[in-house]
Amino acid sequence: SSLWSFRQELFWTLLIGGLAATCAVTCGAGLAWLARRGGGRAVPAFVVAAAGLALPGPLIGLGVIWLLDREGLGLLIWLYDRTVFAPVLAIAVRVLPLAILGCWYVLRSIADDALDSAACEGAGVWARFRLVALPQRRAGLAAVWLAVFAAAAGDLACSILVVPPGVTTVPIRVFGLI
């Protein structure tokens, strides 16, 4: 009976967590693809991951409020008040370091022979990612998405500040019961 009693909280948790995990893994895979061989190309991934790990959740939530709750920007205020864009953005920023590190681990093991062969055929950096890396590492990236989703669905620190009226997730409900 708990699933039925808390169906709305479960729905919002699955929706917000799934969207945030998808956004974080998409951005994290792009940064990890560029950084997979190290060197200067790894600096953006290091900086984003370090900044994401260093920022506390409530500060991320306040940053999203500051960004979206601006006078004169009607669309951003509408997104902030009437959609789940704000909690998705806050949680995606919060779990982005986990996505970057997980994707980096998965993508760095791709054999250079297949990538070199695709490059000889004229494939660019992103074509090699899309046509060679993603098909080879689909299961690993799905596992990263699942880990990021678990972290996103359980987040309370930054989501409690930015959820719109009428939206309650499972962590917020449990926090309210405590």
Side-chain angles (χ1 to χ4, degrees), residues 17-45:
L19 289 172
T22 302
C23 292
V25 169
T26 302
C27 294
L31 286 168
W33 178 249
L34 293 176
R36 70 184 185 84
R37 290 293 170 220
R41 295 171 66 177
V43 171

Side-chain angles (χ1 to χ4, degrees), residues 33 115 118-132:
W33 178 249
L115 296 173
C120 288
E121 295 294 326
V125 173
W126 295 109
R128 288 186 300 234
F129 174 69
R130 185 174 45 89
L131 298 173
V132 178

Side-chain angles (χ1 to χ4, degrees), residues 52-74:
L53 289 171
L55 288 173
L59 193 59
I60 293 172
L62 289 174
V64 168
I65 292 170
W66 176 83
L67 180 69
L68 298 178
D69 196 17
R70 299 285 201 162
E71 212 169 302
L73 300 174

Side-chain angles (χ1 to χ4, degrees), residues 55 60 77-78 111 134 169 172:
L55 288 173
I60 293 172
I77 293 174
W78 182 80
L134 285 180
T169 62
I172 293 172

Side-chain angles (χ1 to χ4, degrees), residues 33-105:
W33 178 249
L34 293 176
R36 70 184 185 84
R37 290 293 170 220
R41 295 171 66 177
V43 171
F46 276 130
V47 169
V48 171
L53 289 171
L55 288 173
L59 193 59
I60 293 172
L62 289 174
V64 168
I65 292 170
W66 176 83
L67 180 69
L68 298 178
D69 196 17
R70 299 285 201 162
E71 212 169 302
L73 300 174
L75 177 64
L76 291 179
I77 293 174
W78 182 80
L79 285 172
Y80 176 67
D81 284 339
R82 298 207 172 109
T83 66
V84 294
F85 179 72
V88 167
L89 179 62
I91 294 172
V93 169
R94 178 87 169 153
V95 297
L96 184 59
L98 177 63
I100 291 171
L101 297 175
C103 290
W104 199 343
Y105 179 75

